[in-house]
């Protein structure tokens, strides 16, 4: 359905996922040469960029579906942990012609932000605490919970900025009596009889 609508995707699949005309996706990736693996970040995490090794290959075009000049390519994609190389995640992708592997990796990594958003909405706004039997009630509950979560996220994002602005408002201070003149320090104090002009002692 997404391909018929020309909508790109990066979809996580199990290692047993069949790839047309090639076999299981894990066996397809196992045949990738060492130089096929590229190191890319799939986005920032709590401890900085999430960097993995990625292998990707375009699948042959389906002539009956894609026509003579395809606008999108189909891909197989794999993500391998740097510290545990046996941990590999597999993806199928459909992306506009000219899309780079780094962009596919970034899109694959966006699922963590979505999962974190849903988890936060469950914890803070009761997204999963609905007791309804019909779709309209479920839809209303989810819509209100997500709206509340969006409001809290917006408030959280602007709160540090507002606090930072308040902290940087210049405070009217009296000028320091310490002034340097030539090679020595001198005291200057305002005297009420001089109209506030400093006099040097």
């Amino acid at each position: 359905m997404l391909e018929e609508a020309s909508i790109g995707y990066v979809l996580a699949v199990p290692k047993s996922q069949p790839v047309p005309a090639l076999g299981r996706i894990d066996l397809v990736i196992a045949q990738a040469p060492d130089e096929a693996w590229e190191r890319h970040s799939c986005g920032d995490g709590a401890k900085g960029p999430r960097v993995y090794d990625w292998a990707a290959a375009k699948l042959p075009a389906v002539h009956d579906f894609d026509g003579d000049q395809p606008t999108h390519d189909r891909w197989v994609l794999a993500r391998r942990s740097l510290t545990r190389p046996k941990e590999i995640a597999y993806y199928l992708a459909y992306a506009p012609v000219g899309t780079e592997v780094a962009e596919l990796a970034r899109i694959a990594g966006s699922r963590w932000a979505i999962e974190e958003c849903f988890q936060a909405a469950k914890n803070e706004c009761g997204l999963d605490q609905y007791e309804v039997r019909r779709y309209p009630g479920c839809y209303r509950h989810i819509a209100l919970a997500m709206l509340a979560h969006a409001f809290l996220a917006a408030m959280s994002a602007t709160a540090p900025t507002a606090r930072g602005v308040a902290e940087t408002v210049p405070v009217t201070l009296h000028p320091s009596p310490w002034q340097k003149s030539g090679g020595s320090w001198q005291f200057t104090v305002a005297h009420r009889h001089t109209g506030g002009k400093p006099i040097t002692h």
Side-chain angles (χ1 to χ4, degrees), residues 60-74 94:
V62 180
H63 182 74
D64 293 340
F65 187 79
D66 297 326
D68 294 331
Q69 295 183 334
T71 60
H72 288 68
D73 292 318
R74 292 177 187 81
Y94 183 73

Side-chain angles (χ1 to χ4, degrees), residues 26-44:
D26 60 341
L27 300 179
V28 173
I29 295 298
Q31 299 171 23
D34 291 341
E35 57 268 22
W37 292 91
E38 303 175 5
R39 194 153 293 180
H40 297 289
S41 169
C42 59
D44 291 335

Side-chain angles (χ1 to χ4, degrees), residues 97-146:
V97 171
T99 302
E100 301 288 337
V101 176
E103 179 67 6
L104 296 176
R106 184 193 65 79
I107 295 169
S110 65
R111 65 184 287 257
W112 281 299
I114 296 169
E115 289 176 359
E116 289 170 359
C117 177
F118 274 110
Q119 189 61 45
K122 289 177 182 179
N123 293 339
E124 299 170 8
C125 306
L127 177 65
D128 58 345
Q129 296 176 7
Y130 56 87
E131 296 181 8
V132 295
R133 297 178 181 272
R134 298 180 61 199
Y135 176 75
C138 176
Y139 179 82
R140 289 170 187 154
H141 176 86
I142 291 174
L144 288 174
M146 294 306 293

Side-chain angles (χ1 to χ4, degrees), residues 5-201:
S6 295
I7 298 174
Y9 60 80
V10 178
L11 176 67
V13 296
K15 64 180 183 179
S16 59
Q17 174 69 34
V19 179
L22 295 175
R24 285 172 47 133
I25 193 169
D26 60 341
L27 300 179
V28 173
I29 295 298
Q31 299 171 23
D34 291 341
E35 57 268 22
W37 292 91
E38 303 175 5
R39 194 153 293 180
H40 297 289
S41 169
C42 59
D44 291 335
K47 298 180 180 179
R50 293 189 296 256
V51 179
Y52 295 91
D53 285 333
W54 297 82
K58 294 178 185 177
L59 296 173
V62 180
H63 182 74
D64 293 340
F65 187 79
D66 297 326
D68 294 331
Q69 295 183 334
T71 60
H72 288 68
D73 292 318
R74 292 177 187 81
W75 297 74
V76 290
L77 184 69
R79 185 195 76 223
R80 185 174 68 187
S81 170
L82 300 182
T83 56
R84 295 181 293 274
K86 292 186 178 180
E87 291 185 8
I88 301 177
Y90 303 94
Y91 303 85
L92 293 177
Y94 183 73
V97 171
T99 302
E100 301 288 337
V101 176
E103 179 67 6
L104 296 176
R106 184 193 65 79
I107 295 169
S110 65
R111 65 184 287 257
W112 281 299
I114 296 169
E115 289 176 359
E116 289 170 359
C117 177
F118 274 110
Q119 189 61 45
K122 289 177 182 179
N123 293 339
E124 299 170 8
C125 306
L127 177 65
D128 58 345
Q129 296 176 7
Y130 56 87
E131 296 181 8
V132 295
R133 297 178 181 272
R134 298 180 61 199
Y135 176 75
C138 176
Y139 179 82
R140 289 170 187 154
H141 176 86
I142 291 174
L144 288 174
M146 294 306 293
L147 179 62
H149 179 61
F151 174 78
L152 292 175
M155 293 297 293
S156 176
T158 57
T161 304
R163 184 170 62 250
V165 169
E167 291 172 352
T168 58
V169 172
V171 179
T172 304
L173 298 174
H174 298 292
S176 171
W178 287 76
Q179 302 291 329
K180 193 166 188 178
S181 177
S184 61
W185 288 95
Q186 297 180 348
F187 281 107
T188 58
V189 293
H191 195 279
R192 67 178 61 183
H193 298 297
T194 62
K197 294 180 181 179
I199 57 176
T200 303
H201 295 279

